């Protein structure tokens, strides 16, 4: 017989699988990283990441570089552009007098002006000590011929030349600046390199650092400088870069983050980049790539925290260049590492999630045992054995009040006892308190002996913390070809549990009975629509007045093919199939409609409806029934919901909340079958019920059993002290009724009071306020105009 892998075997397999998955994720990471590098996509991503990092580090300009600009104000003040060169001469003189350390022009002087103007400007340059920087640049004509633009010779004799060429990327955005440009066969430093003292670094380019805010640059209108409004206190020792910012003069380029800027501003930002030391050595992608594989290994090492670690693993990789740049140490490229890491992590987590999903499909979460899917796999290859399914009777009731931990303890104890009695077999959990296994023994007699021994083991209580429970098992057996389908053995176990047998062997006859059960479930909706399911109403007599002031609704099913079906047969079937909520709402609708109809005609009689205990944990059902209760308005006080005592004893939070909610809406709450559970009146008090119904097992023999009389008398007295009304059900004779009247019981219900009658029979009697529901068959018709009681009758009605 096939074996489910042992714990140690599963652990070794899991470790080997983990290493394989990690290796696969590393391969995927390497492939994606290589693809990013070869396609050049990594360079684009790194550039975008650099801009984003710079956005996190916004900083002001150093204040060393000042701009003297040809703006709209200057053009208006100094008349039309271009200006006479005497104006530029005056500007140089004014800046020199203001103590400017360096004067540089980003204005084209490559063509002659008037002889007087050129001479005046040359003289001013000479007076400045031949240290003024003039621009040189290369431009290309439409036919592709390069032109070298140099200042005219007269000006070149008294100045220093620097390149002001700017080269946008193919998308038109300026991202980098060259250190120098060859013009007229001479390598000339770029203007920013010259101004920042980096003129000896010719060759290559550097990125313009967009963390520097353009609005923090010191900008002065040339008209203000010439008018003497900008003096030594502002310009002394500063580098002054002269250029145009007026829109009509053009010379504008796009920058990342900062949009379109004048050329002179871009020259200034490039200069600030060098001055502030924001050009970092780039150590490439090797270190981040190694870090990504290390982080991937950490994620693989701790599978339970894989998703969290994978997310946080991005931080050291993406944050490495930020940290290095923040400290002005260096920078690295991370796009290759990030792309590879993300691909590897997705592969790692995806494969692991798929494996976990596959494992979860084969394991029952509540017990950790292989589940029905795993059992079916084993049954396909197993060549011997008999399939046994053990079902715990009343499993839902047993675990209803248990915590998750207590349920786990219970199921572990059950599995331990099965292992002790059944031998070294692989157990499978089918859920809902069902355990299956393949017996090694093909002999049915020896197998049933083992099952009897296993049942004996369950005679002792199982402790689940502070609670001790008795587990009563029922066994289903499937052999031969029937064994291939676990449903067969489970069906046999279900029949054993329902019939009180220890074990049942699956057969075709059993399947036929099950088919009838399925037929009932299939016919339920049609039965409610066609009226095959109906209600009868059993009267409840108020003993102090002798009047019928309420009835209890009892359900009946008259099947068109099968005939009358007893409630104790079809109700458990509906409860097991989860259809009891539909039937209960159907009953509630009939009763609520009847209450309204009676009220309109002056008949103020309440109706009690039984609610199956598990329904109070069904939020959808509770909401639907509560909406009906609220819609009743003030008539809701004529509706009573009866719930068994055992359901209240479990102290289930949803049940408590639902009961409080209904009572708040005016609905009366009755605790049914009191005395059969484990509660006390003081315990039930906190549930704010209106009445308790003493179970008929304590009432039926009240006249003859002294112990029953003691229990009933004390219960009535204590209940009245605590504000409960008391209903005694199962009142079957006059002697019992007399004892209840003596004890001060509030309400009596039973065959001696009346049997359940359909609406057309009960309503006239309620209007006449008659009882006689039993005695009328004997020719007696007692009118309860006084606190009297119907005469003794021993008649039993089959309903």
């Amino acid at each position: 017989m096939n074996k489910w892998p042992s714990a140690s075997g599963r652990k070794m397999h899991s470790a080997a699988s983990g290493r394989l998955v990690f290796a696969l994720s590393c391969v995927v990471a390497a492939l994606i990283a290589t693809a990013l590098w070869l396609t050049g996509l990594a360079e684009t991503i790194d550039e975008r990441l650099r801009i984003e990092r710079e956005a996190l580090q916004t900083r002001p300009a150093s204040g060393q570089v000042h701009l003297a600009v040809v703006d709209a104000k200057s053009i208006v003040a100094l008349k039309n552009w271009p200006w006479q060169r005497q104006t530029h001469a005056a500007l140089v003189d004014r800046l020199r007098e203001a103590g400017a350390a360096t004067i540089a022009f980003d204005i084209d002087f490559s063509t002659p002006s008037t002889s007087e103007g050129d001479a005046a400007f040359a003289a001013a340059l000479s007076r400045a000590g031949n240290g003024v920087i003039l621009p040189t640049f290369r431009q290309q004509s439409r036919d592709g011929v390069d032109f070298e633009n140099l200042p005219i010779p007269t000006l070149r004799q008294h100045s220093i030349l620097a390149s002001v060429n700017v080269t946008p990327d193919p998308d038109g955005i300026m991202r980098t600046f060259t250190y120098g440009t060859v013009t007229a066969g001479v390598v000339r430093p770029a203007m920013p390199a010259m101004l920042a003292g980096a003129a000896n670094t010719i060759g290559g380019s550097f990125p313009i650092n967009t963390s520097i805010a353009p609005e923090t640059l010191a900008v002065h209108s040339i008209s203000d400088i010439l008018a003497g409004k900008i003096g030594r206190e502002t310009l002394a020792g500063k580098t002054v870069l002269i250029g145009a910012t007026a829109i009509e003069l053009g010379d504008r380029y796009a920058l990342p983050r900062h949009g379109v800027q004048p050329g002179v501003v871009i020259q200034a930002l490039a200069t600030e980049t060098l001055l502030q030391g924001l050009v970092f050595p780039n150590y490439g992608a090797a270190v981040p790539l190694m870090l990504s594989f290390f982080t991937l290994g950490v994620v693989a090492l701790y599978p339970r925290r894989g998703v969290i670690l994978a997310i946080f693993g991005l931080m050291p990789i993406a944050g490495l260049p930020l940290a290095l740049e923040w400290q002005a140490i260096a920078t690295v490229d991370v796009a290759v590492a990030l792309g590879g890491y993300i691909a590897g992590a997705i592969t790692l987590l995806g494969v692991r999630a798929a494996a976990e999903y596959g494992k979860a499909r084969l394991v029952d979460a509540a017990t950790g045992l292989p589940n029905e899917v795993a059992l079916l796999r084993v049954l396909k290859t197993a060549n011997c054995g008999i399939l046994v399914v053990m079902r715990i009777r009343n499993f839902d009731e047993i675990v209803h009040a248990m915590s998750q931990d207590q349920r786990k303890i219970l199921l572990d104890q059950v599995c331990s006892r099965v292992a002790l009695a059944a031998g070294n077999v692989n157990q499978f959990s089918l859920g809902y308190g069902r355990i299956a296994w393949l017996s090694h023994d093909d002999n049915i007699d020896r197998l049933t002996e083992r099952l009897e021994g296993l049942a004996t083991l369950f005679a002792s209580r199982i402790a689940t913390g502070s609670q001790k429970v008795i587990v009563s098992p029922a066994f289903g057996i499937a052999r031969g070809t029937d064994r291939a389908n676990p449903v067969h053995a489970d069906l046999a176990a279900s029949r054993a549990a329902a019939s009180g047998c220890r074990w049942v062997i699956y057969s075709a006859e059993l399947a036929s009975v099950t088919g009838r059960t399925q037929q009932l479930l299939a016919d339920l909706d049609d039965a409610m629509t066609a009226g095959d399911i109906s209600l009868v109403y059993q009267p409840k007599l108020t003993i102090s007045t002798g009047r019928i002031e309420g009835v209890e609704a009892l359900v009946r099913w008259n099947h068109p093919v099968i005939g009358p079906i007893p409630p104790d047969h079809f109700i458990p079937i509906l409860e097991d199939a989860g259809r009891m909520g539909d039937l209960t709402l159907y009953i509630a609708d009939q009763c609520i409609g009847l209450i309204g109809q009676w009220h309109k005609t002056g008949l103020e009689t309440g109706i009690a409806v039984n609610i199956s205990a598990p329904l109070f944990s069904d939020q959808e059902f509770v909401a639907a029934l509560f909406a009906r209760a609220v819609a009743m308005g003030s008539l809701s006080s004529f509706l009573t919901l009866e719930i068994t005592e055992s359901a209240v004893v479990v102290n289930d939070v949803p049940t408590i909340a639902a009961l409080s909610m209904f009572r708040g809406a005016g609905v009366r709450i009755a605790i049914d079958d009191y005395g059969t559970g484990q509660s006390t009146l003081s315990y039930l008090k906190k549930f704010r019920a209106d009445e308790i119904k003493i179970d008929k097992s304590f009432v039926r023999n009240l006249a003859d059993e002294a112990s029953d009389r003691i229990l009933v008398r004390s219960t009535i007295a204590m209940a009245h002290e605590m504000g409960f009304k008391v209903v005694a059900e199962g009142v079957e004779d006059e002697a019992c009724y007399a004892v209840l009247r003596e004890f001060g019981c509030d309400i009596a219900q039973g065959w001696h009071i009346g049997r359940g009658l359909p609406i057309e029979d009960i309503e006239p009697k309620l209007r006449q306020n008659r009882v006689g529901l039993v005695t009328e068959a004997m020719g007696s018709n007692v009118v309860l105009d006084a606190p009297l009681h119907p005469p003794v009758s021993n008649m039993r009605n089959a309903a």
Side-chain angles (χ1 to χ4, degrees):
M1 183 166 57
N2 285 15
K3 291 280 188 176
W4 189 256
S6 65
S8 59
R10 290 196 300 269
K11 186 174 181 180
M12 293 175 62
H13 176 73
S14 176
S17 299
R19 289 191 294 269
L20 183 61
V21 172
F22 174 63
L24 176 63
S25 67
C26 288
V27 170
V28 172
L31 290 174
I32 296 299
T34 302
L36 288 172
W37 176 64
L38 290 176
T39 59
L41 185 59
E43 185 177 351
T44 303
I45 296 173
D46 274 316
E47 176 62 26
R48 183 67 231 177
L49 291 175
R50 178 182 69 82
I51 299 300
E52 294 301 325
R53 291 195 300 271
E54 290 173 359
L56 298 175
Q57 307 176 69
T58 299
R59 67 190 79 204
S62 66
Q64 177 60 35
V65 178
H66 285 235
L67 297 183
V69 297
V70 181
D71 55 2
K73 178 181 178 181
S74 299
I75 292 176
V76 171
L78 302 175
K79 308 306 180 186
N80 294 331
W81 179 268
W83 298 328
Q84 295 181 354
R85 290 192 175 158
Q86 288 90 336
T87 302
H88 297 298
L91 178 60
V92 171
D93 289 336
R94 180 67 69 180
L95 292 173
R96 182 171 53 80
E97 293 167 2
T102 302
I103 302 171
F105 280 85
D106 185 19
I107 295 175
D108 182 16
F109 297 113
S110 60
T111 58
S113 177
T114 65
S115 57
E116 295 83 0
D118 291 340
F121 190 27
L125 296 177
S126 177
R127 288 192 296 272
N130 298 332
V132 176
I133 304 172
L134 296 184
T136 175
F137 59 96
R138 173 187 293 174
Q139 63 181 348
Q140 195 173 67
S141 66
R142 292 181 180 179
D143 56 5
V145 178
D146 287 341
F147 288 90
E148 311 291 351
N149 292 74
L150 301 175
I152 60 175
T154 303
L155 303 182
R156 287 205 302 267
Q157 296 174 7
H158 305 287
S159 61
I160 303 172
L161 301 186
S163 170
V164 293
N165 269 95
V166 294
T167 308
D169 289 340
D171 59 2
I173 298 177
M174 280 288 301
R175 296 183 175 87
T176 60
F177 215 107
T178 60
Y179 282 102
T181 305
V182 176
T183 55
V186 178
V187 177
R188 306 186 190 278
M191 181 70 76
M194 179 74 77
L195 296 178
N200 58 335
T201 309
I202 303 300
S205 61
F206 61 93
I208 302 172
N209 196 296
T210 60
S211 68
I212 304 167
E215 61 271 15
T216 62
L217 290 168
V219 181
H220 313 293
S221 174
I222 289 177
S223 61
D224 289 339
I225 296 175
L226 292 175
K229 296 179 180 179
I230 311 297
R232 177 175 288 274
E233 68 281 358
T234 301
L235 298 177
K238 305 301 183 184
T239 297
V240 179
L241 180 59
I242 304 164
T245 60
I247 296 176
E248 58 267 34
L249 299 184
D251 192 31
R252 307 179 77 84
Y253 302 91
L255 275 179
R257 290 191 62 217
H258 304 312
V260 176
Q261 297 288 337
V264 69
V265 171
I266 294 176
Q267 299 278 352
L269 291 176
T271 302
E272 287 283 349
T273 298
L274 296 173
L275 283 175
Q276 296 190 40
L278 299 179
V279 178
F280 313 113
N282 191 327
Y283 292 136
V287 172
L289 196 58
M290 288 188 291
L291 180 60
S292 69
F293 281 105
F294 173 78
T295 307
L296 202 59
V298 173
V299 175
L301 197 59
Y302 298 96
R304 293 184 178 179
R305 301 176 181 176
V307 175
I308 296 176
L309 288 175
I311 294 173
F312 279 98
L314 287 168
M315 296 175 63
I317 303 171
L320 179 60
L322 180 63
L324 293 173
E325 291 167 4
W326 191 278
Q327 297 297 321
I329 298 173
T331 190
V332 288
D333 295 330
V334 295
V336 168
L338 282 175
Y341 172 79
I342 292 172
I346 290 175
T347 302
L348 180 65
L349 297 177
V351 173
R352 184 180 290 162
E356 289 295 326
Y357 174 73
K359 179 181 177 182
R361 289 184 65 251
L362 300 175
V363 176
D364 175 63
T367 60
L369 293 174
N371 60 15
E372 186 172 358
V373 177
L375 174 60
L376 289 171
R377 289 188 177 185
V378 171
L379 289 174
K380 287 181 180 179
T381 56
N383 53 18
C384 64
I386 297 175
L387 181 62
V388 181
V389 171
M390 186 189 80
R391 178 183 285 262
I392 299 175
R393 291 185 173 93
N394 301 323
F395 179 74
D396 287 338
E397 294 182 14
I398 292 174
V399 302
H400 190 54
M402 289 184 177
S403 66
Q404 191 66 32
D405 290 340
Q406 288 176 316
R407 293 183 186 186
K408 182 68 168 60
I409 294 172
L410 172 66
L411 293 173
D412 286 346
Q413 290 291 322
V414 167
C415 293
S416 296
R417 297 189 186 191
V418 170
L420 185 62
N424 184 26
V425 295
N426 293 314
Q427 299 179 44
F428 300 82
S429 174
L430 307 185
Y432 301 103
R434 299 171 300 158
I435 304 297
W437 65 91
L438 276 168
S439 171
H440 298 308
D441 198 337
D442 291 335
N443 187 291
I444 195 70
D445 293 330
R446 287 195 296 268
L447 173 61
T448 53
E449 287 181 10
R450 282 181 174 270
L451 297 182
E452 292 291 346
L454 177 55
T456 302
L457 286 179
F458 283 107
S460 60
R461 294 184 178 185
I462 294 178
T464 58
S466 59
Q467 187 176 358
K468 293 184 178 181
V469 296
I470 291 289
V471 170
S472 178
F475 303 99
I477 299 171
R479 52 185 176 174
T481 57
D482 296 332
R483 177 201 67 153
N485 188 349
V487 173
H488 294 161
D490 187 31
L491 180 60
S494 178
R495 174 51 59 89
S499 61
C501 299
R502 183 80 76 198
W503 48 268
V504 168
I505 300 176
Y506 176 81
S507 65
E509 181 183 356
L510 178 60
S512 176
V513 173
T514 303
R516 177 171 293 185
T517 297
Q518 296 303 315
Q519 180 184 353
L520 291 182
L521 293 174
D523 293 344
L524 176 63
D525 292 325
D526 291 339
M528 290 189 290
T529 302
D532 296 336
I533 292 180
S534 60
L535 299 177
V536 297
Y537 302 89
Q538 186 174 36
K540 297 166 69 177
L541 175 72
T542 301
I543 296 176
S544 62
T545 64
R547 297 178 182 274
I548 301 298
E549 297 180 359
V551 296
E552 179 179 354
L554 304 173
V555 65
R556 299 290 184 262
W557 189 345
N558 187 18
H559 196 280
V561 177
I562 301 174
I565 307 173
D568 59 358
H569 177 70
F570 69 80
I571 286 179
I573 292 174
L574 298 183
E575 287 180 334
D576 287 344
R579 294 299 311 276
M580 198 59 202
D582 299 328
L583 177 60
T584 303
L585 290 176
Y586 171 80
I587 294 170
D589 287 336
Q590 307 301 310
C591 295
I592 291 171
L594 191 55
I595 289 172
Q597 179 183 329
W598 282 350
H599 188 76
K600 289 179 181 178
T601 58
L603 185 59
E604 298 184 348
T605 301
I607 302 179
V609 177
N610 286 281
I611 307 294
S612 179
L615 290 179
F616 281 104
S617 297
D618 183 343
Q619 294 182 359
E620 186 175 343
F621 168 81
V622 170
L625 184 58
F626 183 71
R628 289 164 166 78
V630 171
M632 294 179 71
S634 60
L635 294 183
S636 62
S637 61
F638 290 92
L639 177 66
T640 299
L641 303 182
E642 294 189 1
I643 182 171
T644 59
E645 176 197 11
S646 58
V648 178
V649 169
V650 299
N651 193 22
D652 184 61
V653 173
T655 301
I656 298 171
L659 291 178
S660 300
M661 185 171 66
F662 280 109
R663 200 166 188 273
V667 176
R668 295 177 59 80
I669 303 297
I671 306 301
D672 200 8
D673 301 333
Y674 179 77
T676 59
Q678 304 172 3
S679 67
T680 64
L681 281 173
S682 60
Y683 180 82
L684 295 180
K685 177 68 176 177
K686 68 179 182 178
F687 295 100
R688 306 293 297 167
D690 297 280
E691 62 185 47
I692 63 170
K693 298 185 69 174
I694 301 177
D695 188 69
K696 58 188 176 184
S697 62
F698 302 102
V699 175
R700 186 179 292 120
N701 300 315
L702 192 60
D704 302 322
E705 295 290 341
S707 59
D708 288 346
R709 288 197 300 275
I710 293 172
L711 185 147
V712 171
R713 181 197 293 271
S714 60
T715 297
I716 293 172
M718 291 180 63
H720 285 164
E721 286 290 331
M722 304 181 74
F724 292 114
K725 280 190 174 183
V726 180
V727 180
E729 52 183 352
V731 180
E732 299 182 354
D733 52 46
E734 174 62 25
C736 175
Y737 179 83
V739 173
L740 291 171
R741 184 169 50 190
E742 176 189 345
F743 288 172
C745 184
D746 299 293
I747 300 170
Q749 180 181 352
W751 285 343
H752 186 58
I753 307 302
R755 64 185 176 89
L757 289 178
I759 181 63
E760 61 270 16
D761 293 333
I762 191 69
E763 187 170 330
K765 296 182 181 297
L766 294 175
R767 295 190 183 282
Q768 298 169 16
N769 205 7
R770 297 178 180 274
V771 176
L773 303 180
V774 173
T775 59
E776 194 170 12
M778 301 170 60
S780 175
N781 192 14
V782 180
V783 179
L784 295 180
D785 292 328
L788 300 177
H789 175 66
V792 178
S793 172
N794 292 322
M795 180 177 290
R796 297 291 182 265
N797 191 291

